[in-house]
């Protein structure tokens, strides 16, 4: 099994879409210079996190996928021989929009997209106003360097999504993310929330025996302070790297995909799954016979 160098771009954004794209490309180049083979950008990196309000003007930020942003990133991917994971606001048709991540292979080829399946609706995260739930199902992408799975932000809290993507053959789970703290919260609440967010994702690594790579943004936008803290977990939940809560970072970490076989044979959770007993999971709540 191969060793792969993954790059994480944790950055702040502005209201200028092209400026954000240009900045992301500079940071992809920085990651490639450090040896990255697969580079993951954060959720909706071409704009501010606009879902903090319900504003019809924000639909103007959306674009086709493939489209202008993937076109620019494809050129960069080919030039640098890197895989790029790019989270974008997709305009599928008039009145139909998705929170979507495109995957571009190291030769610049567009491999496809994953549309976010779980859509939140909370104060400061009014995503149901903008995004139709994904209808492509869970996806894997066979890139030059590894077979990867991509899930997006709110998907992070659902073990079913991680499990299915891993069962499809994902060797690494990537989570582009935009999550932060309300500025009115106290420090204890902030850290409790961050720890829960990281813990649930590390549990996906353990349960499925795969590396997990989570990439968040930083900076304050209106009433949200994005908490950064991007991290990489090995297949047994150990944190290989955790980024700052406040600073932009370009992180490159080598991971050993062979660790999956080691942990899955020593802790054979997949072997011992009782798939014959899991039908009740398809119910919303098990409260009736």
């Amino acid at each position: 099994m191969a060793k792969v160098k993954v790059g994480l771009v944790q950055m702040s954004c502005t209201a200028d879409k092209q400026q954000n794209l240009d900045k992301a490309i500079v940071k992809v180049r920085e990651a490639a210079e450090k040896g990255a083979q697969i580079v993951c950008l954060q959720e909706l990196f071409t704009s501010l996190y606009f879902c903090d309000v319900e504003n019809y003007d924000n639909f103007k930020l959306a674009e086709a996928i493939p489209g202008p942003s993937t076109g620019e990133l494809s050129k960069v991917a080919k030039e640098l021989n890197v895989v790029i994971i790019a989270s974008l606001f997709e305009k599928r048709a008039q009145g139909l929009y998705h929170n979507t991540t495109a995957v571009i292979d190291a030769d610049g080829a567009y491999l496809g997209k994953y549309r976010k399946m779980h859509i939140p609706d909370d104060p400061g995260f009014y995503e149901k106003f903008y995004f139709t739930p994904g209808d492509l199902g869970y996806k894997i992408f066979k890139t030059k360097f590894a077979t990867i799975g991509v899930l997006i932000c709110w998907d992070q809290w659902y073990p079913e999504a991680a499990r299915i993507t891993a069962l499809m053959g994902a060797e690494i789970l990537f989570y582009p993310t935009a999550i932060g703290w309300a500025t009115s919260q106290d420090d204890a609440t902030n850290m409790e929330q961050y720890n829960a967010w990281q813990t649930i994702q590390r549990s996906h690594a353990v349960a499925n025996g795969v590396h997990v790579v989570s990439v968040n943004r930083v900076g304050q936008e209106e009433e949200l302070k994005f908490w950064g803290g991007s991290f990489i977990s090995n297949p047994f939940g150990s944190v290989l790297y955790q980024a700052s809560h406040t600073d932009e970072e370009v992180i490159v970490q080598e991971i050993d995909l062979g660790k999956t076989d080691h942990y899955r044979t020593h802790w054979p959770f997949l072997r011992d799954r009782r798939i014959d007993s899991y039908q009740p999971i398809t119910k919303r709540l098990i409260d009736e016979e």
Side-chain angles (χ1 to χ4, degrees), residues 45-190:
F45 70 92
T46 62
S47 68
L48 296 171
Y49 181 75
F50 53 86
C51 307
D52 57 337
V53 294
E54 295 183 350
N55 185 335
Y56 292 103
D57 287 341
N58 286 331
F59 286 104
K60 297 174 184 176
L61 295 168
E63 62 182 274
I65 301 175
S69 293
T70 56
E72 287 196 48
L73 292 169
S74 291
K75 294 175 185 176
V76 175
K78 183 176 182 179
E79 176 193 344
L80 301 176
N81 191 37
V82 297
V83 174
I84 298 177
I85 302 167
S87 171
L88 300 163
F89 185 14
E90 180 188 11
K91 182 174 183 178
R92 183 176 180 181
Q94 292 183 357
L96 187 58
Y97 299 80
H98 294 279
N99 187 333
T100 300
T101 295
V103 178
I104 301 164
D105 211 353
D107 62 355
Y110 167 74
L111 291 183
K113 58 193 168 190
Y114 165 75
R115 291 176 174 145
K116 188 173 182 177
M117 294 285 278
H118 301 90
I119 310 297
D121 188 68
D122 289 311
F125 298 91
Y126 301 112
E127 295 198 12
K128 281 185 167 64
F129 180 79
Y130 296 99
F131 306 130
T132 299
D135 58 355
L136 298 175
Y138 301 106
K139 305 271 288 187
I140 60 168
F141 303 90
K142 296 184 177 182
T143 76
K144 177 178 180 179
F145 303 111
T147 298
I148 66 173
V150 177
L151 297 162
I152 303 172
C153 203
W154 197 239
D155 291 330
Q156 288 160 333
W157 301 97
Y158 297 88
E160 300 88 348
R163 173 73 87 201
I164 291 168
T165 308
L167 290 175
M168 294 173 73
E171 296 174 294
I172 312 167
L173 297 179
F174 285 92
Y175 288 92
T177 302
I179 190 169
W181 296 307
T183 53
S184 58
Q185 288 179 177
D186 58 72
D187 289 343
T189 300
N190 289 349

Side-chain angles (χ1 to χ4, degrees), residues 263-282:
Y263 284 112
R264 283 184 177 178
T265 53
H266 286 73
W267 297 78
F269 303 134
L270 297 188
R271 182 197 69 188
D272 296 339
R273 293 176 66 238
R274 285 294 307 276
I275 58 175
D276 57 305
S277 69
Y278 297 156
Q279 188 59 35
I281 199 80
T282 62

Side-chain angles (χ1 to χ4, degrees), residues 207-222:
N208 297 293
V210 295
H211 287 83
V212 166
V213 178
S214 187
V215 186
N216 193 24
R217 69 170 66 196
V218 290
Q220 185 164 332
E221 300 178 17
E222 300 297 335

Side-chain angles (χ1 to χ4, degrees), residues 17-54:
K17 188 174 178 180
Q18 188 61 49
Q19 184 180 77
N20 293 321
L21 180 59
D22 291 344
K23 181 177 181 178
I25 289 172
V26 168
K27 292 184 179 295
V28 168
R29 291 186 182 280
E30 182 180 338
E33 288 173 1
K34 294 179 178 180
Q37 296 166 297
I38 303 174
V39 181
C40 186
L41 300 165
Q42 66 208 29
E43 184 184 20
L44 301 172
F45 70 92
T46 62
S47 68
L48 296 171
Y49 181 75
F50 53 86
C51 307
D52 57 337
V53 294
E54 295 183 350

